[in-house]
Amino acid sequence: MEEFAQLTSPTLLLRPEIAKRNIQRMANKAKQAGLEFRPHFKTHQSHTVGGWFRDAGVTKITVSSIAMAEYFALDGWQDITIALPLNIREMDRINALARKIKLNVIVDNAQILTILEYQKMVQAPLHVWVEADCGDGRSGIPLKNKGAFIHVAQTLMKSPTMQFAGILTHAGHAYRRMSSTEAKALFTDISDNLGKLVEYFYRFEDFKGMKIPVSFGDTPLCSQLEAFPNIDELRPGNFVFYDFMQYAFGACTIDDIAMVMACPVISHQGGQQYIVHGGAVHFGKDFLLTNLKHKPVEEGKNFGWQVDFTESGWKPYRNSYLRGLSQEHGEAFNGSTPLLDKDLGQLAYFLPIHSCLTADLMMRYYLVENGELGEEIRMMKADPGYLDGFGNS
Amino acid sequence: MEEFAQLTSPTLLLRPEIAKRNIQRMANKAKQAGLEFRPHFKTHQSHTVGGWFRDAGVTKITVSSIAMAEYFALDGWQDITIALPLNIREMDRINALARKIKLNVIVDNAQILTILEYQKMVQAPLHVWVEADCGDGRSGIPLKNKGAFIHVAQTLMKSPTMQFAGILTHAGHAYRRMSSTEAKALFTDISDNLGKLVEYFYRFEDFKGMKIPVSFGDTPLCSQLEAFPNIDELRPGNFVFYDFMQYAFGACTIDDIAMVMACPVISHQGGQQYIVHGGAVHFGKDFLLTNLKHKPVEEGKNFGWQVDFTESGWKPYRNSYLRGLSQEHGEAFNGSTPLLDKDLGQLAYFLPIHSCLTADLMMRYYLVENGELGEEIRMMKADPGYLDGFGNS
């Protein structure tokens, strides 16, 4: 057997020097642009990696669920935004946490405020961001519906328990292949419309002299751009690890990708296919097709891109990748020239397509530094308190 | 709020009467066909549901990993097949378990036997099935390479620790839309070739008078057929819960689907879209397109099919489904006539596309009987022993 003899099953590996460099670079960028930096922690879901952000001066964070907010509050984080439209069925847990820390939530609808007020559901101070749809078409008030933003913000300003925190948006439509020119054009359009929305607020007496912060997030645009006019806060998340999808989008280099899955080779019949232990319950089912900026794959779906793990970093194979995943099987297509020579029992390494979902499935990762296997990092879902709610602990 | 006021976050619900009926039906089918029944437990991953199989007379099971084998051995299962080509890096755990129970593994390559023997890696009795590729093109020796089967089986017969158990195959290429005629034609072809392979074994002195069992598995064919010539053992798994994919394939009726995800509605802007709390970390990213036997969706990807949960069962909406999933957001497209009337905070119900992966992600499900929320079932990954290996406990 070669390196990492102690690895027996599919194992997710993290190179901390890359993750720390990604963190520092984004923190510097926010600082130089004069912006608040509120990174999204949904990708790493770990107290340890959270500590690396703390070392970079981060004090405010973003999460995607009340469970994740509770988990990071337990580790001392005191200012957390749950970047999912408020789920009013979770108000007991939200109130409990809002009594302990500064808790920020988002709404995109006046109806929800009526329900909350009418049923007296808010029992602790809540900082409420109004979500804008800047073109993604998922959640948020469409930017052009300026009157709806005013109505929601004015309703919040009358509430005894809720405070209007600002405007928050996520450019989900930036998750695609973009040149830096295209990225800049997309952002400029969003930024102009956000600027106009804030100007519109100042037509109303209620908001005169008031700062209306604008929070913006997504790894592709935050990675590609340096200047962020009309924005006050950045909330990218995936950039801590990046992945093959972000590389294909043009948001990072291959050397910025911090994670790889090590998979034992378990079957081959000769020819261009071999089977690894590593399937849908390890990688998840996100894939990329071939119409991407970077084309390592000649046909069909790519569920993970094969690389060698060398001292100097990833050495990618041009046309070797996971072309199919069953529950625990991975079908690796070996189209490299010369053919890879993988024997049964050896490890094959694949860059994940989407590191957020792969890490979430694996529940843990191992640090690798200088070619040595180090500390095991257990994530939120591996914590014994997860299924019962950390708020109850 | 309506029914299930206690549900606050995305929650997977299981109707036990349906799962038990699915189990009994498949057990009866195997019995009537005179076959061994060795169901795959990767779908439910639960001691409780395993108990329902035990109640139906099951004593032999299939799993997809050494961890799952250890988990079910802890619950008293004494005859387990790991239906993934043997991962020789896991031999310590495999040997430890093979000392305690009858452990069956699969190989599809003579090279692996050489490695095992040469390195004296097998230290407990292992029952070894030779995997055949019956047309799927994943793992297994292609059925036409008869000589390779003989070579592997003869090598096994010379081993002091390994015992040739028979031929095992999985028709992964049956996971597609099929009429019952097409299903029968596909199976007949596989069955004929398996029969010829067994006949070929008897040309060799080594196998004269010996029973060569043939193990066959997959939910679509086991569901659609009643007779299984040339087969000795059935290993379907997904049928315990079924899902929308199996329904689309023609393998079950909608009333055979035992699971549904309840998702709180968290956003809408009017029109045909609303957002639910329920995303890729809950459902997984498997989807169906529209070119299926049953077409509830008019365009694009379907990540979950919306139904009402009524006393008499699922009431599906013709054109309402999850058209997109982010990490925790689900984008529900509401194309029903009349439009569904879902308010913020209400629950929306979606049949999962692929119940194996959805359950694996959720790590637990709740029983619902007569409209009442009952017992919480925690799965393997929710067990505190999972990440350390159950064999060490």
Side-chain angles (χ1 to χ4, degrees), chain A residues 267-270 344, chain B residues 107-113 130 141 152:
Chain A
S267 164
H268 67 68
Q269 299 297 323
L344 293 167
Chain B
V107 304
D108 64 0
N109 195 301
Q111 183 198 349
I112 198 168
L113 300 180
V130 182
I141 301 171
V152 172

Side-chain angles (χ1 to χ4, degrees), chain B residues 262-388:
Chain B
C263 298
V265 176
I266 56 173
S267 164
H268 67 68
Q269 301 295 325
Q272 289 189 287
Q273 173 167 297
Y274 58 94
I275 304 297
V276 296
H277 188 186
V281 295
H282 307 104
F283 286 95
K285 288 296 280 285
D286 264 318
F287 61 85
L288 288 176
L289 292 170
T290 55
N291 55 342
L292 293 162
K293 184 174 177 184
H294 304 281
K295 280 195 181 181
V297 170
E298 284 171 3
E299 54 173 23
K301 294 176 180 175
N302 176 351
F303 292 95
W305 188 19
Q306 187 165 11
V307 296
D308 263 1
F309 190 167
T310 71
E311 285 289 321
S312 58
W314 316 127
K315 184 188 151 204
Y317 290 99
R318 179 165 153 72
N319 195 29
S320 289
Y321 59 101
L322 289 170
R323 66 175 170 190
L325 297 179
S326 317
Q327 188 152 342
E328 304 243 1
H329 298 71
E331 283 181 50
F333 175 73
N334 172 2
S336 293
T337 311
L339 289 181
L340 299 176
D341 181 23
K342 279 289 172 194
D343 282 331
L344 293 167
Q346 284 190 327
L347 293 177
Y349 298 91
F350 299 91
L351 300 180
I353 298 298
H354 190 172
S355 59
C356 308
L357 300 187
T358 300
D360 181 79
L361 273 161
M362 294 299 290
M363 300 162 61
R364 66 171 156 194
Y365 31 85
Y366 291 83
L367 304 188
V368 175
E369 286 182 283
N370 305 315
E372 294 290 323
L373 195 67
E375 190 187 346
E376 176 195 13
I377 307 291
R378 296 204 172 186
M379 299 165 64
M380 176 182 71
K381 284 186 171 176
D383 190 295
Y386 170 65
L387 290 178
D388 294 315

Side-chain angles (χ1 to χ4, degrees), chain B residues 54-74:
Chain B
R54 204 175 258 136
D55 295 344
V58 171
T59 59
K60 304 172 179 186
I61 67 171
T62 307
V63 299
S64 58
S65 66
I66 180 65
M68 216 181 286
E70 291 166 350
Y71 180 68
F72 285 107
L74 281 182

Side-chain angles (χ1 to χ4, degrees), chain A residues 155-338:
Chain A
T155 307
L156 283 169
M157 290 173 77
K158 288 178 203 140
S159 165
T161 45
M162 291 184 277
Q163 187 179 323
F164 173 49
I167 295 158
L168 177 146
T169 195
H170 173 76
H173 53 317
Y175 283 73
R176 57 186 166 88
R177 170 189 163 186
M178 285 190 296
S179 68
S180 56
T181 310
E182 290 168 322
K184 200 164 180 181
L186 175 62
F187 176 75
T188 300
D189 182 57
I190 295 168
S191 167
D192 287 350
N193 284 313
L194 287 165
K196 284 176 194 159
L197 176 61
V198 171
E199 278 172 30
Y200 187 77
F201 268 79
Y202 294 129
R203 292 193 197 175
F204 296 83
E205 205 55 47
D206 296 357
F207 306 102
K208 288 267 160 68
M210 187 177 156
K211 171 69 185 164
I212 312 236
V214 175
S215 175
F216 181 80
D218 78 274
T219 282
L221 290 177
C222 291
S223 298
Q224 294 223 44
L225 302 176
E226 297 297 328
F228 301 88
N230 298 327
I231 304 295
D232 301 283
E233 177 180 278
L234 292 184
R235 301 187 328 278
N238 172 281
F239 73 94
V240 60
F241 298 154
Y242 285 118
D243 49 35
F244 181 54
M245 194 187 300
Q246 296 293 336
Y247 172 70
F249 291 164
C252 68
T253 70
I254 194 168
D255 294 323
D256 295 330
I257 300 175
M259 287 196 136
V260 76
M261 188 87 81
C263 298
V265 175
I266 54 174
S267 164
H268 67 68
Q269 299 297 323
Q272 290 189 286
Q273 173 168 297
Y274 57 94
I275 304 296
V276 295
H277 188 186
V281 297
H282 306 105
F283 286 95
K285 288 295 281 284
D286 265 319
F287 62 85
L288 287 176
L289 292 171
T290 55
N291 54 343
L292 293 162
K293 186 175 176 184
H294 304 281
K295 280 193 181 180
V297 171
E298 283 170 4
E299 56 173 21
K301 294 176 181 175
N302 175 351
F303 293 95
W305 187 19
Q306 188 166 9
V307 295
D308 262 0
F309 189 167
T310 72
E311 284 289 321
S312 58
W314 315 128
K315 183 187 151 208
Y317 290 99
R318 178 165 154 71
N319 196 29
S320 289
Y321 60 99
L322 289 170
R323 66 176 171 190
L325 298 178
S326 317
Q327 187 151 342
E328 306 242 1
H329 297 71
E331 284 180 51
F333 175 73
N334 174 2
S336 294
T337 312

